[in-house]
Amino acid sequence: MTLQHYTNVHHIIRDTNGIARPGPHCKPVLFSGHLAHAVHYHQKVQTRRKRPMSVERDDILYVREGVFVSPEMDGRTHYNAVDYDGRRHQCYYLASLSTQYAKTLHQLAKMHTGIHAPRWTARTFLRVTRVWHEVLGDISDADLAAEGFPGDRAGYMATVRAMHMLPTDVVQCIAFDVVHTNYLRKNL
């Protein structure tokens, strides 16, 4: 394996096929399917958390998201992954799959929800650029856009209420840059 340098060589490790995976100092961040998709495509560059994460500027985070994992089989993969024992797998990310193909995969591959996805399945890596706290309802229009809701305050507030958060809650805000995404083919 060779090391890829970002802010610290221990954050992201690149294997001989050029596929990155979290190093020992990467920290996980969980996103639901559509949010993981928005992060992967640079449409979401901030997140707000009711339970603070232990992060600071320049930390590297890896995105945990729902994934089907199977031994190499049909070549229609989003990217090949190598587990910690050196076995190759194909990863199919729930956020990037059609509903019909996801139903087919349930029969062929092991499904991991984001919270249970192995570290080596990560495809998106983020560098924290800023951390602060604010009242959720005080989000600015610029921050709404960075959250992936440009000009849609009502839609954003409906989303956070669905996550059992209130506009009066003080939340941790994390801004980030996407520093690496593993190869991604078209949606299946």
Short mmCIF file of all heavy atoms in Angstrom, two decimals, residues 1-4 6 8-15 19-28 60-62 84 119-120 122 124-125:
data_model
loop_
_atom_site.label_atom_id
_atom_site.label_comp_id
_atom_site.label_asym_id
_atom_site.label_seq_id
_atom_site.Cartn_x
_atom_site.Cartn_y
_atom_site.Cartn_z
N MET A 1 0.83 -1.19 0.00
CA MET A 1 0.00 0.00 0.00
C MET A 1 0.88 1.24 0.00
O MET A 1 1.92 1.27 0.60
CB MET A 1 -0.88 0.03 1.25
CG MET A 1 -1.86 -1.08 1.35
SD MET A 1 -2.88 -0.84 2.78
CE MET A 1 -4.36 -0.41 1.94
N THR A 2 0.38 2.27 -0.65
CA THR A 2 1.06 3.55 -0.61
C THR A 2 0.19 4.51 0.17
O THR A 2 -1.02 4.33 0.28
CB THR A 2 1.29 4.10 -2.03
OG1 THR A 2 0.03 4.26 -2.66
CG2 THR A 2 2.18 3.16 -2.84
N LEU A 3 0.77 5.54 0.70
CA LEU A 3 0.01 6.50 1.49
C LEU A 3 -0.31 7.72 0.66
O LEU A 3 0.51 8.20 -0.11
CB LEU A 3 0.81 6.93 2.73
CG LEU A 3 1.09 5.81 3.74
CD1 LEU A 3 1.90 6.36 4.90
CD2 LEU A 3 -0.21 5.22 4.26
N GLN A 4 -1.51 8.23 0.80
CA GLN A 4 -1.93 9.45 0.14
C GLN A 4 -1.86 10.58 1.16
O GLN A 4 -2.38 10.46 2.25
CB GLN A 4 -3.37 9.30 -0.37
CG GLN A 4 -3.93 10.55 -1.00
CD GLN A 4 -3.26 10.87 -2.32
OE1 GLN A 4 -2.83 9.99 -3.02
NE2 GLN A 4 -3.17 12.13 -2.64
N TYR A 6 -2.87 14.07 2.66
CA TYR A 6 -3.79 15.19 2.72
C TYR A 6 -3.27 16.07 3.86
O TYR A 6 -2.31 16.75 3.69
CB TYR A 6 -5.24 14.73 2.91
CG TYR A 6 -5.78 14.11 1.66
CD1 TYR A 6 -5.95 12.74 1.55
CD2 TYR A 6 -6.08 14.90 0.56
CE1 TYR A 6 -6.42 12.17 0.39
CE2 TYR A 6 -6.55 14.33 -0.61
CZ TYR A 6 -6.72 12.98 -0.69
OH TYR A 6 -7.18 12.43 -1.84
N ASN A 8 -2.61 14.62 6.91
CA ASN A 8 -1.85 13.69 7.74
C ASN A 8 -1.84 12.34 7.03
O ASN A 8 -2.89 11.85 6.64
CB ASN A 8 -2.52 13.58 9.11
CG ASN A 8 -1.75 12.70 10.07
OD1 ASN A 8 -1.20 11.68 9.68
ND2 ASN A 8 -1.73 13.08 11.32
N VAL A 9 -0.68 11.74 6.87
CA VAL A 9 -0.59 10.48 6.12
C VAL A 9 -1.37 9.36 6.79
O VAL A 9 -1.67 8.37 6.15
CB VAL A 9 0.88 10.03 5.93
CG1 VAL A 9 1.62 11.00 5.05
CG2 VAL A 9 1.58 9.83 7.25
N HIS A 10 -1.72 9.48 8.04
CA HIS A 10 -2.47 8.43 8.73
C HIS A 10 -3.97 8.54 8.49
O HIS A 10 -4.73 7.68 8.92
CB HIS A 10 -2.19 8.46 10.22
CG HIS A 10 -0.75 8.24 10.55
ND1 HIS A 10 -0.12 7.04 10.32
CD2 HIS A 10 0.18 9.07 11.03
CE1 HIS A 10 1.14 7.14 10.68
NE2 HIS A 10 1.35 8.36 11.11
N HIS A 11 -4.42 9.60 7.84
CA HIS A 11 -5.85 9.78 7.64
C HIS A 11 -6.42 8.93 6.53
O HIS A 11 -7.43 8.27 6.70
CB HIS A 11 -6.18 11.24 7.35
CG HIS A 11 -6.12 12.10 8.58
ND1 HIS A 11 -5.81 13.42 8.54
CD2 HIS A 11 -6.33 11.83 9.87
CE1 HIS A 11 -5.83 13.93 9.75
NE2 HIS A 11 -6.15 12.97 10.58
N ILE A 12 -5.81 8.95 5.36
CA ILE A 12 -6.34 8.22 4.22
C ILE A 12 -5.24 7.34 3.65
O ILE A 12 -4.15 7.80 3.38
CB ILE A 12 -6.87 9.18 3.14
CG1 ILE A 12 -8.00 10.04 3.72
CG2 ILE A 12 -7.36 8.39 1.93
CD1 ILE A 12 -8.51 11.10 2.78
N ILE A 13 -5.56 6.07 3.48
CA ILE A 13 -4.61 5.12 2.92
C ILE A 13 -5.11 4.73 1.54
O ILE A 13 -6.29 4.47 1.35
CB ILE A 13 -4.51 3.87 3.82
CG1 ILE A 13 -4.03 4.28 5.21
CG2 ILE A 13 -3.61 2.82 3.19
CD1 ILE A 13 -4.08 3.16 6.23
N ARG A 14 -4.22 4.69 0.57
CA ARG A 14 -4.57 4.32 -0.79
C ARG A 14 -3.93 2.97 -1.10
O ARG A 14 -2.75 2.78 -0.88
CB ARG A 14 -4.02 5.38 -1.73
CG ARG A 14 -4.87 5.64 -2.91
CD ARG A 14 -4.19 6.70 -3.77
NE ARG A 14 -4.82 7.97 -3.66
CZ ARG A 14 -5.85 8.33 -4.40
NH1 ARG A 14 -6.35 7.52 -5.28
NH2 ARG A 14 -6.37 9.52 -4.26
N ASP A 15 -4.73 2.04 -1.62
CA ASP A 15 -4.15 0.74 -1.95
C ASP A 15 -3.53 0.77 -3.34
O ASP A 15 -3.53 1.81 -4.02
CB ASP A 15 -5.19 -0.38 -1.80
CG ASP A 15 -6.31 -0.34 -2.82
OD1 ASP A 15 -6.15 0.32 -3.86
OD2 ASP A 15 -7.33 -0.98 -2.57
N ILE A 19 -7.54 2.93 -4.71
CA ILE A 19 -8.76 3.11 -3.94
C ILE A 19 -8.39 3.56 -2.53
O ILE A 19 -7.55 2.97 -1.87
CB ILE A 19 -9.57 1.80 -3.88
CG1 ILE A 19 -10.02 1.42 -5.29
CG2 ILE A 19 -10.77 1.92 -2.95
CD1 ILE A 19 -10.61 0.04 -5.40
N ALA A 20 -9.00 4.66 -2.10
CA ALA A 20 -8.71 5.20 -0.77
C ALA A 20 -9.62 4.53 0.25
O ALA A 20 -10.73 4.12 -0.04
CB ALA A 20 -8.93 6.69 -0.75
N ARG A 21 -9.11 4.41 1.47
CA ARG A 21 -9.93 3.95 2.59
C ARG A 21 -9.45 4.66 3.84
O ARG A 21 -8.34 5.18 3.89
CB ARG A 21 -9.91 2.44 2.71
CG ARG A 21 -8.59 1.85 3.07
CD ARG A 21 -8.75 0.35 3.17
NE ARG A 21 -7.53 -0.24 3.68
CZ ARG A 21 -7.26 -1.51 3.63
NH1 ARG A 21 -8.11 -2.34 3.10
NH2 ARG A 21 -6.16 -1.97 4.13
N PRO A 22 -10.29 4.69 4.88
CA PRO A 22 -9.94 5.44 6.08
C PRO A 22 -8.70 4.88 6.78
O PRO A 22 -8.58 3.68 6.96
CB PRO A 22 -11.16 5.29 6.98
CG PRO A 22 -12.24 4.77 6.12
CD PRO A 22 -11.60 4.07 4.97
N GLY A 23 -7.81 5.77 7.13
CA GLY A 23 -6.66 5.38 7.95
C GLY A 23 -7.06 5.38 9.41
O GLY A 23 -8.21 5.68 9.77
N PRO A 24 -6.11 5.09 10.29
CA PRO A 24 -6.44 4.95 11.71
C PRO A 24 -6.91 6.24 12.39
O PRO A 24 -7.55 6.18 13.43
CB PRO A 24 -5.14 4.45 12.33
CG PRO A 24 -4.08 4.78 11.36
CD PRO A 24 -4.71 4.80 10.02
N HIS A 25 -6.62 7.40 11.81
CA HIS A 25 -7.01 8.66 12.47
C HIS A 25 -8.23 9.31 11.82
O HIS A 25 -8.61 10.40 12.22
CB HIS A 25 -5.84 9.63 12.49
CG HIS A 25 -4.68 9.10 13.27
ND1 HIS A 25 -4.69 8.97 14.64
CD2 HIS A 25 -3.48 8.63 12.87
CE1 HIS A 25 -3.55 8.45 15.05
NE2 HIS A 25 -2.80 8.24 14.00
N CYS A 26 -8.83 8.66 10.84
CA CYS A 26 -10.08 9.16 10.25
C CYS A 26 -11.22 8.95 11.24
O CYS A 26 -11.24 7.96 11.97
CB CYS A 26 -10.41 8.38 8.99
SG CYS A 26 -9.98 9.19 7.47
N LYS A 27 -12.16 9.87 11.24
CA LYS A 27 -13.33 9.75 12.11
C LYS A 27 -14.57 9.57 11.25
O LYS A 27 -14.69 10.17 10.19
CB LYS A 27 -13.48 11.02 12.95
CG LYS A 27 -12.29 11.25 13.88
CD LYS A 27 -12.42 12.56 14.61
CE LYS A 27 -11.21 12.77 15.52
NZ LYS A 27 -11.28 14.03 16.24
N PRO A 28 -15.52 8.74 11.70
CA PRO A 28 -16.72 8.52 10.91
C PRO A 28 -17.75 9.64 11.08
O PRO A 28 -17.84 10.25 12.14
CB PRO A 28 -17.27 7.21 11.47
CG PRO A 28 -16.82 7.22 12.90
CD PRO A 28 -15.48 7.90 12.90
N ILE A 60 -9.98 14.72 9.30
CA ILE A 60 -10.51 14.04 8.13
C ILE A 60 -11.61 13.08 8.60
O ILE A 60 -11.44 12.33 9.54
CB ILE A 60 -9.41 13.24 7.38
CG1 ILE A 60 -8.31 14.17 6.89
CG2 ILE A 60 -10.01 12.44 6.22
CD1 ILE A 60 -8.73 15.15 5.81
N LEU A 61 -12.77 13.19 7.94
CA LEU A 61 -13.91 12.34 8.25
C LEU A 61 -14.18 11.42 7.06
O LEU A 61 -13.95 11.81 5.92
CB LEU A 61 -15.16 13.20 8.49
CG LEU A 61 -15.05 14.35 9.49
CD1 LEU A 61 -16.33 15.16 9.50
CD2 LEU A 61 -14.73 13.83 10.87
N TYR A 62 -14.66 10.23 7.33
CA TYR A 62 -15.13 9.38 6.24
C TYR A 62 -16.63 9.21 6.40
O TYR A 62 -17.15 9.10 7.51
CB TYR A 62 -14.40 8.04 6.18
CG TYR A 62 -14.65 7.10 7.32
CD1 TYR A 62 -15.63 6.11 7.24
CD2 TYR A 62 -13.89 7.16 8.49
CE1 TYR A 62 -15.86 5.24 8.29
CE2 TYR A 62 -14.10 6.28 9.53
CZ TYR A 62 -15.09 5.32 9.42
OH TYR A 62 -15.30 4.46 10.45
N TYR A 84 -9.84 -5.61 5.14
CA TYR A 84 -8.60 -5.62 5.91
C TYR A 84 -7.84 -6.94 5.79
O TYR A 84 -6.68 -7.02 6.16
CB TYR A 84 -8.88 -5.28 7.37
CG TYR A 84 -9.38 -3.86 7.52
CD1 TYR A 84 -10.63 -3.58 8.05
CD2 TYR A 84 -8.61 -2.79 7.07
CE1 TYR A 84 -11.09 -2.28 8.16
CE2 TYR A 84 -9.07 -1.49 7.18
CZ TYR A 84 -10.30 -1.24 7.72
OH TYR A 84 -10.74 0.05 7.82
N ARG A 119 -15.51 0.20 7.84
CA ARG A 119 -14.68 1.37 7.48
C ARG A 119 -14.17 1.29 6.05
O ARG A 119 -14.10 2.29 5.35
CB ARG A 119 -13.48 1.48 8.42
CG ARG A 119 -13.80 1.89 9.82
CD ARG A 119 -12.58 1.77 10.73
NE ARG A 119 -11.50 2.63 10.34
CZ ARG A 119 -11.23 3.82 10.89
NH1 ARG A 119 -11.99 4.26 11.86
NH2 ARG A 119 -10.23 4.54 10.48
N TRP A 120 -13.79 0.08 5.61
CA TRP A 120 -13.16 -0.05 4.30
C TRP A 120 -14.12 0.17 3.14
O TRP A 120 -13.71 0.26 1.99
CB TRP A 120 -12.44 -1.39 4.15
CG TRP A 120 -13.25 -2.60 4.47
CD1 TRP A 120 -13.32 -3.26 5.66
CD2 TRP A 120 -14.12 -3.31 3.57
NE1 TRP A 120 -14.17 -4.33 5.57
CE2 TRP A 120 -14.67 -4.39 4.30
CE3 TRP A 120 -14.48 -3.15 2.24
CZ2 TRP A 120 -15.57 -5.28 3.74
CZ3 TRP A 120 -15.38 -4.05 1.68
CH2 TRP A 120 -15.91 -5.10 2.42
N ALA A 122 -15.89 2.92 2.83
CA ALA A 122 -16.04 4.38 2.67
C ALA A 122 -15.61 4.80 1.26
O ALA A 122 -14.60 4.36 0.75
CB ALA A 122 -15.21 5.11 3.71
N THR A 124 -16.26 8.42 0.40
CA THR A 124 -16.17 9.88 0.43
C THR A 124 -15.44 10.31 1.70
O THR A 124 -15.75 9.84 2.79
CB THR A 124 -17.58 10.51 0.40
OG1 THR A 124 -18.31 9.97 -0.71
CG2 THR A 124 -17.51 12.02 0.27
N PHE A 125 -14.48 11.22 1.53
CA PHE A 125 -13.65 11.72 2.63
C PHE A 125 -13.77 13.24 2.69
O PHE A 125 -13.72 13.92 1.67
CB PHE A 125 -12.20 11.30 2.44
CG PHE A 125 -12.02 9.82 2.39
CD1 PHE A 125 -12.17 9.12 1.21
CD2 PHE A 125 -11.73 9.11 3.54
CE1 PHE A 125 -12.04 7.74 1.17
CE2 PHE A 125 -11.60 7.73 3.51
CZ PHE A 125 -11.75 7.05 2.32
#
